[in-house]
Amino acid sequence: KQEVTQIPAALSVPEGENLVLNCSFTDSAIYNLQWFRQDPGKGLTSLLLIQSSQREQTSGRLNASLDKSSGRSTLYIAASQPGDSATYLCAVLYGNKLVFGAGTILRVKS
Amino acid sequence: GAVVSQHPSRVICKSGTSVKIECRSLDFQATTMFWYRQFPKQSLMLMATSNEGSKATYEQGVEKDKFLINHASLTLSTLTVTSAHPEDSSFYICSAPGQNEKLFFGSGTQLSVL
């Protein structure tokens, strides 16, 4: 069964701290992996997409890594800001089916 | 970037009524749209894949007669929850693939059935 797990479920950090969100998946035959941001009452915003042949992607203060063999991905957020507070979702694309993790609720305190 | 517009954002209805949710791709054509449901503190779960001009593909356990999907044009897909019941209360969200295989999501619809 293709499952995606995210740890931790929730995280609260002071402003300025660097942090890591974790995602693991059971089936390594992935097409790609995406990290999304979900704000309350709003849709999802795609943050980073890593193809199965890639190891990492970077955008601004965000860096996502992918280790297919171990079934893991991490999202690194540098110098966190209160505006980063949101739910972060990891999703793995298998063929044409996207399987989501339950998300990590991040709160950055000012 | 690509924009997917979803309406309504919130709907409250009585049990037994039907609710239609619209999803439009504003600046690109979407031959495929995905419909997801999310219960509180749970993952987004794919309900069905709508295909322009053909029947939708439903995931196992999703009743196609209850969740009617229509993808009549390259920019519009609709999900109708028929004879809604309180257990159908959930967050429904659509998405469409854009360039570079990224998925673009609507803003979601919070459905509350009384």
Side-chain angles (χ1 to χ4, degrees):
Chain A
K1 186 179 179 182
Q2 296 159 338
E3 294 181 344
V4 178
T5 304
Q6 290 187 246
I7 295 174
L11 181 64
S12 182
V13 300
E15 182 177 4
E17 193 163 296
N18 303 325
L19 58 99
V20 175
L21 307 181
N22 297 290
C23 173
S24 61
F25 44 94
T26 54
D27 184 349
S28 62
I30 72 172
Y31 189 69
N32 63 42
L33 182 147
Q34 296 186 64
W35 282 92
F36 293 90
R37 170 182 173 142
Q38 184 178 26
D39 293 284
K42 297 183 180 180
L44 276 67
T45 302
S46 179
L47 298 174
L48 291 165
L49 183 153
I50 311 177
Q51 300 291 353
S52 63
S53 58
Q54 297 176 322
R55 300 281 296 188
E56 67 176 348
Q57 283 287 324
T58 298
S59 176
R61 294 183 291 109
L62 304 179
N63 175 277
S65 68
L66 174 64
D67 184 342
K68 259 183 40 174
S69 60
S70 66
R72 295 178 189 276
S73 175
T74 61
L75 178 67
Y76 175 82
I77 301 177
S80 59
Q81 302 170 357
D84 295 330
S85 298
T87 297
Y88 290 81
L89 296 170
C90 167
V92 178
L93 185 65
Y94 293 104
N96 62 355
K97 184 175 181 179
L98 198 61
V99 180
F100 282 85
T104 295
I105 301 172
L106 172 66
R107 179 183 172 214
V108 181
K109 298 172 288 185
S110 56
Chain B
V3 176
V4 175
S5 176
Q6 183 173 345
H7 295 281
S9 58
R10 181 177 294 272
V11 59
I12 301 172
C13 68
K14 292 182 179 180
S15 185
T17 60
S18 294
V19 175
K20 180 185 281 188
I21 303 170
E22 290 190 350
C23 200
R24 293 180 185 273
S25 55
L26 295 185
D27 49 3
F28 68 105
Q29 294 182 333
T31 56
T32 300
M33 281 197 182
F34 302 100
W35 288 94
Y36 297 85
R37 179 169 54 184
Q38 184 181 34
F39 293 106
K41 298 185 180 180
Q42 294 188 24
S43 306
L44 280 161
M45 296 297 293
L46 180 65
M47 298 175 65
T49 302
S50 75
N51 304 291
E52 188 270 333
S54 63
K55 290 184 178 180
T57 304
Y58 290 82
E59 294 300 303
Q60 192 173 13
V62 178
E63 299 175 58
K64 62 179 181 181
D65 294 331
K66 180 169 184 62
F67 299 99
L68 300 179
I69 289 175
N70 183 281
H71 196 150
S73 76
L74 288 171
T75 59
L76 175 64
S77 176
T78 61
L79 167 68
T80 301
V81 183
T82 63
S83 187
H85 290 283
E87 57 265 31
D88 298 324
S89 299
S90 185
F91 183 72
Y92 294 85
I93 192 166
C94 63
S95 73
Q99 287 186 336
N100 300 322
E101 299 174 309
K102 279 193 172 183
L103 275 180
F104 294 91
F105 284 79
S107 55
T109 298
Q110 184 65 51
L111 172 63
S112 299
V113 184
L114 305 178

